[in-house]
Amino acid sequence: MSVVTDRPRTVTPGKVAVWVVAAVCLAWVTWQAVGNLVGVAKSVSDFNAFVRQNGGKGLETATPWTVLMIDVLIAPVGFVVAWLVSRRMDLVRTVVVFVAALCAVSALWFTLLQYVSSTLRIGA
């Protein structure tokens, strides 16, 4: 079985529309992730300052920077991977690839949000 690798890249208005819609959806995910990163970092910083001020230094908590940065990078990486995979496909397959990418990004994004919220016990 041979794989056709010399298939020409065809950019159609339909594919451009798929890319634009996916980019807008994934930009929203990125925007939310950046807001989450800023909000969590500020909350942890404020909590740690309060704890230090009141003599509870052992109660300080760390900001989960790695998870928050992964959360920010998920959507752009998902878009690039979907574009690379589907760039030589027809419109229907391109739609399928981008829908799958949106689903995967959303699932990972929500999982990381749940992880962050379950590991931080600020004020509890």
Side-chain angles (χ1 to χ4, degrees), residues 28-60:
W28 181 82
V29 171
T30 304
W31 180 257
Q32 294 298 315
V34 169
N36 190 41
L37 180 137
V38 171
V40 168
K42 180 166 177 11
S43 294
V44 169
S45 175
D46 291 347
F47 176 75
N48 287 341
F50 174 79
V51 167
R52 270 186 251 112
Q53 181 182 13
N54 291 296
K57 189 173 182 182
L59 298 174
E60 291 180 13

Side-chain angles (χ1 to χ4, degrees), residues 46-89:
D46 291 347
F47 176 75
N48 287 341
F50 174 79
V51 167
R52 270 186 251 112
Q53 181 182 13
N54 291 296
K57 189 173 182 182
L59 298 174
E60 291 180 13
T61 187
T63 304
W65 290 111
T66 304
V67 176
L68 292 171
M69 291 308 296
I70 291 170
D71 201 34
V72 170
L73 295 174
I74 291 169
V77 169
F79 182 86
V80 170
V81 169
W83 181 79
L84 288 172
V85 167
S86 69
R87 63 188 171 166
R88 294 182 188 259
M89 294 181 176

Side-chain angles (χ1 to χ4, degrees), residues 72-110:
V72 170
L73 295 174
I74 291 169
V77 169
F79 182 86
V80 170
V81 169
W83 181 79
L84 288 172
V85 167
S86 69
R87 63 188 171 166
R88 294 182 188 259
M89 294 181 176
D90 61 359
L91 178 61
V92 174
R93 290 182 177 143
T94 300
V95 169
V96 170
V97 168
F98 273 94
V99 168
L102 288 167
C103 290
V105 164
S106 297
L108 188 54
W109 181 58
F110 282 123

Side-chain angles (χ1 to χ4, degrees), residues 40-41 43-44 61-64 68 115-124:
V40 168
S43 294
V44 169
T61 187
T63 304
L68 292 171
Y115 172 77
V116 169
S117 65
S118 69
T119 58
L120 290 179
R121 296 291 180 216
I122 297 177

Side-chain angles (χ1 to χ4, degrees), residues 15-34:
K15 286 179 92 168
V16 171
V18 170
W19 296 338
V20 168
V21 169
V24 168
C25 292
L26 292 171
W28 181 82
V29 171
T30 304
W31 180 257
Q32 294 298 315
V34 169

